[in-house]
Amino acid sequence: MLGLAQLPFAILYAVADGFYVLLNYVIRYREKVVLENLRNSFPEKSALEIQQIRKDFYRHFSQVLVETLKLAAMTDAELRRRVVIRNPELLSGPFAEGRTVLALGSHAGNWEWILPSGALEFPGRAYGVYKPLSNSFFEDFLYRLRTRSGAKLIPMRDTLRDLIRRRGEGRAMSMLTDQAAGPEDRPYWTTFLNQETSFYTSADRLAAQFNCPVVYVNIQRVKRGYYDLIIEPLHDGTTPLDKEAFVLTEAFARHLEKSVQAAPAAYLWTHRRWKHKR
């Protein structure tokens, strides 16, 4: 894989075009799941429009695959040039006060470029919560990609312990919180993309307990290989929170819904986001 990552972007995007043909026309990767998700999320769209979003999604997904692979060989300077961080002061301000900021993101745009880019902008302050993979090869490969710029990874089960241990350190804790929350996760239910949807509620609980500022992180494709990483405020960390009101989770759902509606092909439609029922 490292040899492939050494190739110029122009050649890698030609490889991505091949991936697109394979995913869209040959193996039809999770096509049933993708179409069901799109039809339920956009009932107002015609069958032709749904098929166009499906094709655009496979093309975007193919490009994200090679862009993620490219992390193994990309220089810091090139990554800085390709990802522009908007509103960084929403993080640097709390960092100066020794506060942990919860950065809530999703599987949209190129989510694998978020943490390495943040680590370059804020050296020593970028942490990511993740769920370790069972496949040791991919676990090791993705771990090295995600930490290539100096970011630190925190296994999901250690999140609370880490916050206690590092209380008073100015840093960002990145969390991708758009996966399907099961009954055991004490989910918050709300309407999202025209469907009853379960969300993880850890942001509300942790922000209430540790007085964390909370931001929404949205990485938008500007053009092929270039992104804006936009930081938006959700909570300033000073107003008292009722952890059972789930105002942060609801705010995250509304921000994410707006992002997906603006660029539907850039969302990860292959995962079974709505597999749980209330």
Side-chain angles (χ1 to χ4, degrees):
M1 286 191 179
L2 183 58
L4 191 60
Q6 299 283 351
L7 295 174
F9 266 105
I11 296 178
L12 283 175
Y13 283 126
V15 173
D17 290 341
F19 284 162
Y20 165 71
V21 172
L22 183 66
L23 294 175
N24 186 47
Y25 295 105
V26 182
I27 65 175
R28 296 182 177 271
Y29 179 61
R30 294 195 175 185
E31 181 184 50
K32 183 178 179 180
V33 173
V34 172
L35 285 175
E36 180 181 2
N37 285 342
L38 288 174
R39 288 165 180 155
N40 292 337
S41 298
F42 304 104
E44 76 284 359
K45 294 188 181 296
S46 68
L48 189 61
E49 289 174 310
I50 292 295
Q51 288 294 343
Q52 187 59 55
I53 295 174
R54 178 186 65 83
K55 292 179 180 179
D56 292 342
F57 159 70
Y58 281 126
R59 189 176 298 280
H60 169 79
F61 184 56
S62 299
Q63 293 176 6
V64 168
L65 289 177
V66 299
E67 289 170 358
T68 300
L69 179 62
K70 185 64 176 176
L71 276 175
M74 199 187 313
T75 65
D76 289 349
E78 186 168 25
L79 184 57
R80 285 181 182 274
R81 184 168 58 86
R82 289 178 174 272
V83 179
V84 176
I85 298 180
R86 308 292 183 183
N87 308 322
E89 68 278 0
L90 293 175
L91 298 182
S92 58
F95 291 167
E97 300 170 354
R99 309 180 76 186
T100 295
V101 181
L102 303 183
L104 309 185
S106 68
H107 292 82
N110 186 336
W111 56 93
E112 291 293 352
W113 279 14
I114 295 176
L115 192 58
S117 299
L120 291 178
E121 181 75 16
F122 304 104
R125 300 185 185 275
Y127 289 71
V129 177
Y130 82 113
K131 185 176 181 179
L133 300 175
S134 57
N135 184 296
S136 59
F137 172 79
F138 284 106
E139 165 66 13
D140 179 67
F141 180 69
L142 286 175
Y143 189 95
R144 285 187 284 114
L145 290 186
R146 291 165 178 169
T147 58
R148 49 142 285 166
S149 303
K152 308 294 183 183
L153 291 182
I154 307 165
M156 189 182 299
R157 65 179 179 274
D158 295 335
T159 304
L160 181 60
R161 186 182 302 113
D162 188 84
L163 276 167
I164 294 172
R165 184 171 64 248
R166 300 183 184 277
R167 189 192 292 265
E169 295 184 17
R171 61 187 182 135
M173 181 178 282
S174 175
M175 308 165 70
L176 300 185
T177 56
D178 63 328
Q179 295 286 30
E184 71 282 0
D185 300 309
R186 294 181 291 171
Y188 169 70
W189 287 89
T190 188
T191 301
F192 170 71
L193 293 175
N194 296 294
Q195 301 162 82
E196 280 203 323
T197 309
S198 60
F199 280 89
Y200 287 100
T201 58
S202 54
D204 279 279
R205 297 196 302 272
L206 296 175
Q209 183 174 350
F210 295 95
N211 299 318
C212 296
V214 184
V215 298
Y216 173 68
V217 178
N218 180 23
I219 184 164
Q220 299 178 347
R221 187 190 294 272
V222 178
K223 59 181 180 179
R224 194 173 69 174
Y226 291 85
Y227 294 87
D228 276 349
L229 202 164
I230 304 168
I231 304 170
E232 302 176 45
L234 294 182
H235 177 59
D236 62 9
T238 60
T239 307
L241 282 174
D242 178 358
K243 65 181 180 180
E244 300 300 328
F246 306 118
V247 294
L248 294 179
T249 305
E250 177 65 26
F252 169 76
R254 300 285 69 83
H255 277 71
L256 176 57
E257 184 174 60
K258 183 179 178 180
S259 298
V260 175
Q261 290 171 338
Y267 194 51
L268 185 61
W269 296 106
T270 52
H271 68 276
R272 297 184 61 224
R273 181 70 181 81
W274 292 275
K275 63 183 177 181
H276 299 296
K277 303 301 178 184
R278 188 193 290 266

